[in-house]
Amino acid sequence: MDDKTDSSETCPNDLHNPFSSVPIEITVSVGKARPLIRDLLKLGKNAVLVLDRRVDDAVELYVGERLIARGQLEELAGDQHGQIAVRVTEVANLQDGL
């Protein structure tokens, strides 16, 4: 992945693309768990599901099945206190599209 953190960098052709203003859903993956089915069936309120990552590890951003970026989780301050966000630290080469 190329190291880009400035979301204002756009291609000149973006202005002419009719799809550039269509919203898309981005999924942020914080980790995976592989419990046995019997353990999954025992999950209840206040259960803890251990993931394969640590709190400080990078999260992955996906559009569909395509990895588009990595970043770090952050908690916003001020009026949006408590809201989480992702600070993008790496961006995939998206020149070939999603």
Side-chain angles (χ1 to χ4, degrees), residues 4 6 12-14 16 28 34 79 81 83 85:
K4 288 185 186 175
D6 185 359
N13 295 336
D14 287 350
H16 303 299
V28 178
R34 293 191 54 108
D79 293 343
H81 178 72
Q83 182 76 37

Side-chain angles (χ1 to χ4, degrees), residues 24-32 51 53 55 57-74 83-89:
I24 60 169
E25 183 172 294
I26 297 175
T27 301
V28 178
S29 175
V30 297
K32 296 179 184 173
L51 302 178
R53 302 232 182 120
V55 171
D57 288 349
V59 297
E60 296 174 333
L61 287 75
Y62 290 89
V63 172
E65 298 293 318
R66 173 101 187 252
L67 176 65
I68 61 161
R70 289 191 178 94
Q72 294 293 325
L73 288 179
E74 293 188 0
Q83 182 76 37
I84 61 172
V86 177
R87 179 172 302 278
V88 175
T89 57

Side-chain angles (χ1 to χ4, degrees), residues 43-62:
L43 286 180
K45 186 176 180 179
N46 295 321
V48 176
L49 187 61
V50 178
L51 302 178
D52 64 347
R53 302 232 182 120
R54 302 188 56 82
V55 171
D56 296 350
D57 288 349
V59 297
E60 296 174 333
L61 287 75
Y62 290 89

Side-chain angles (χ1 to χ4, degrees), residues 3-27:
D3 210 10
K4 288 185 186 175
T5 57
D6 185 359
S7 63
S8 65
E9 293 181 20
T10 59
C11 297
N13 295 336
D14 287 350
L15 299 176
H16 303 299
N17 184 335
F19 297 108
S20 65
S21 63
V22 175
I24 60 169
E25 183 172 294
I26 297 175
T27 301

